[in-house]
Amino acid sequence: MSTTDNPSTTDHDSEQVARANATDRVPVVFVHGLWLLPSSWDRWAELFDEAGYVALTPGWPDDPDTVAEANADPDVFAKKTIGQVADHFSSLIEQLDRKPAVIGHSFGGLLAQIIAGRGLAAASVAIDAAPFRGVLPLPISSLRSAKPVLGNPLNRHRALPLTYEQFRYGFANAVEEDEAKALYEQFAVPASGAPLFQAAAANLNPWTEDKVDTENPDRGPLLLISGETDNTVPWAIVNAAYEKQKRNPGVTEVAQIPNRGHALTIDNGWREVATTALDFIKRFV
C-alpha cells in the first residue's frame, strides 16, 4: 500500500516502514496516547533496536514533529477519533512485510488491543490502556483525570492541553515535583477531546468505535501492564480489561508495576516497564 492509498501516512512513517522491510528483524510498532507525541517512545525504540528488533514510532494523523510545534498549533489534534486512528495504524501495519509486535500506552494501549483484535499483531503489550466497551469500572480518580475534557460537551470537537496541575494529577503523581515539571515541559502536548467522549459513552453506545474484538483467535499473545498508583487508568480498569481478554484462546497476562503512575513510560522508571514489555515480546516473537 502506498502513501497515496493512505494520505495520512507521512514521509516519516513511510521511511520507518521501508527501514523495517529492508531488514529481517521483527518490527515493533509503538503507539502513543493522548497528550504525548511519538518522541515519547524514543528511549524505548533504542532499547528494542539494541535487542534485535526494528522499532517504528509512527504518529497519529497530523501529529507535529515536536512539542513546540504541537503547542503552537493545537488545532491539528482536534476531532481525531478512535476509529480514525485505529484505521491509520492498521493501514501502516499492513504495509509491513512481517506481522509486528505492537506496544501502546493509555489510548495507545487501547489502540494496540484494537489492532490485535483485528489479527494484525504478532504479540501486543497494552500499558495503562484506556477502557473499551464492556470494561465497566469508573474509578473516581479516572473521572477526575478526564473532567478537564468531559466537563464541557463542546470539547468533543476541540484539542485541549493539560495545565501543569492536571498533568501532575493524571500523569506524574508518582514522581517528585521537579521531575513532574520536567516531564510536563518535555512531553506534554494538546490532545483531541473526541476519544475521551467516545470512551465515556462506550458502554451506552452499541455502535461505538471504542470496542475490541477480544475473541479473535488470531489476536496473539497479550500483556496488560498497570501502574500501581495510576490515577488516570487505575488497576480496576486494567483488571477488568484482563478479565475480558483472558477468554481469548491466546496467551493473556497482566502485570502491575509498583509505585508507578500514568507517566510510567516516560518517567525515571521507564526502563523497568520497557524491560517487562521486551521480555514478554521475546517469549513469543
Side-chain angles (χ1 to χ4, degrees):
M1 182 179 294
S2 69
T3 55
T4 57
D5 296 318
N6 181 18
S8 66
T9 300
T10 66
D11 290 342
H12 175 68
D13 293 345
S14 297
E15 289 168 4
Q16 291 195 45
V17 170
R19 172 175 170 259
N21 288 342
T23 77
D24 59 358
R25 296 183 173 194
V26 175
V28 180
V29 176
F30 293 92
V31 188
H32 72 80
L34 297 179
W35 291 295
L36 297 176
L37 289 176
S39 55
S40 62
W41 292 115
D42 283 353
R43 292 175 295 184
W44 286 63
E46 183 178 353
L47 179 69
F48 274 74
D49 278 337
E50 290 172 352
Y53 298 90
V54 55
L56 295 84
T57 56
W60 290 30
D62 303 318
D63 268 359
D65 290 331
T66 67
V67 170
E69 291 176 71
N71 289 322
D73 186 17
D75 289 343
V76 299
F77 296 102
K79 302 179 182 179
K80 301 298 186 299
T81 69
I82 293 169
Q84 178 186 359
V85 181
D87 289 346
H88 168 75
F89 276 91
S90 296
S91 178
L92 183 141
I93 286 170
E94 287 169 348
Q95 298 174 51
L96 294 169
D97 292 341
R98 303 182 67 177
K99 187 181 284 191
V102 180
I103 298 175
H105 168 247
S106 193
F107 268 91
L110 166 64
L111 291 164
Q113 292 177 85
I114 292 174
I115 291 164
R118 294 177 177 181
L120 297 176
S124 306
V125 180
I127 305 164
D128 282 340
F132 53 86
R133 180 173 171 82
V135 173
L136 301 179
L138 281 173
I140 292 174
S141 66
S142 295
L143 295 173
R144 178 178 169 185
S145 294
K147 186 177 179 180
V149 176
L150 298 180
N152 183 348
L154 296 177
N155 288 340
R156 183 185 184 95
H157 304 292
R158 296 170 174 167
L160 297 105
L162 294 175
T163 66
Y164 169 70
E165 289 74 19
Q166 291 162 350
F167 180 85
R168 177 73 163 138
Y169 181 82
F171 273 78
N173 62 300
V175 299
E176 297 296 329
E177 188 80 18
D178 287 348
E179 183 179 0
K181 290 179 179 178
L183 292 173
Y184 182 71
E185 292 297 324
Q186 183 178 355
F187 293 109
V189 298
S192 171
L196 281 164
F197 281 89
Q198 289 179 291
N203 289 317
L204 304 174
N205 178 10
W207 301 278
T208 182
E209 295 178 345
D210 185 12
K211 56 187 175 184
V212 173
D213 184 352
T214 59
E215 298 180 1
N216 185 352
D218 294 326
R219 186 207 66 185
L222 170 68
L223 171 65
L224 297 161
I225 294 179
S226 171
E228 181 187 24
T229 61
D230 190 333
N231 285 329
T232 298
V233 185
W235 168 253
I237 291 176
V238 176
N239 188 55
Y242 170 68
E243 292 296 324
K244 298 282 288 185
Q245 288 281 14
K246 74 178 184 180
R247 302 170 190 171
N248 189 280
V251 172
T252 307
E253 297 180 4
V254 65
Q256 190 174 73
I257 309 294
N259 305 313
R260 307 292 349 125
H262 202 61
L264 75 175
T265 57
I266 57 174
D267 65 23
N268 66 81
W270 73 271
R271 187 175 292 273
E272 179 185 4
V273 189
T275 301
T276 301
L278 176 59
D279 289 345
F280 182 80
I281 298 298
K282 280 181 175 180
R283 286 167 50 198
F284 301 103
V285 184

